[in-house]
Amino acid sequence: FLIALVVELTGAALLMTRLIPLYGPARGVWQSLFTSVSAFCNAGFDLFGGYRSLTHLQNEPVILLTLGGLIMVGGLGFPVILECLNAHFRWRKLPLHAKLVLAVTAGLIAFGTLSILALEWDNPRTLDGGLTVWQKLYNSLFQSITFRTAGFNTIDQTALCEGSKLLSFLLMFIGGAPAGTAGGVKITTVAMLFFSVRSLMRGREETEAFGRRFSRNALARALCIFLLAIAFLFVGAMVMSLTERGTACGSMDFIDKMFELASALGTVGLTVGVTEVA
């Protein structure tokens, strides 16, 4: 409770530095408090109106970086935050769980940011719509973070290229860490399966990461969660294809439908137009 309160109030204070000048004292304070809680909880709700989310704030780095930080901290999970505090943020003293979550989170954010930059750099409807290089960078960073179940967006999701939609599917499917505010199948699930595959390819019987071994029971649970999520997506794709025949939604590309399904399964809240059409 204290962690959530401190993080959300700190985020709200930072947001007030920009939202009060934009919306005035009363509305600026309320917008800051509401949006800070929404970001930390990976909810994605906003009070800006017009179904714009944060698209009108593309050129506000303080707001986007603050919200990105809130989303990321919430997605790390309370156990990881406590483990970092107990270890005084010293990498060597962190347990395996915290190291796994922090390393994979950093890797996914970096991979997502660079991929979005490369895929959307020349897209006039997203990053190339009058943004400077600096603005493209922090908007790509924010998009990479928000794909991990936050639900906010600063660029039009319907205008994303197919490569970006595939990337979003992957990030939304993975989600955040256990016991946090993000959804998805969880970072630890995918990480354990990755290390398991790596061990098998190297001919090793035991699965290890950062010098520690995973139990067979933990690996079995990770595989079960992963397969159940894939099954839910498969069934959802079949149901959507069957029930939306002859409608505007049914005429959408299959990749758009998978985007919506991953967004729903990971409790993300982003859409490429299916919800609007429905």
Side-chain angles (χ1 to χ4, degrees), residues 17 40 55 70 76 99 101 110 113 121 123 152 189 191 193 225 240 246-247 263 274:
T17 62
F40 179 75
T55 54
L70 289 167
L76 289 176
K99 288 182 178 180
V101 169
T113 302
W121 185 270
N123 188 341
F152 291 111
T189 299
L193 294 179
I225 293 170
M240 183 177 285
T247 67
S263 178
V274 172

Side-chain angles (χ1 to χ4, degrees), residues 157-158 160 165 252 255-257 259-260 270-274:
Q157 303 300 283
T158 63
L160 293 172
K165 291 177 182 177
M252 296 189 73
I255 190 173
D256 289 339
K257 294 178 182 178
F259 182 104
E260 301 289 323
L270 293 174
T271 180
V272 288
V274 172

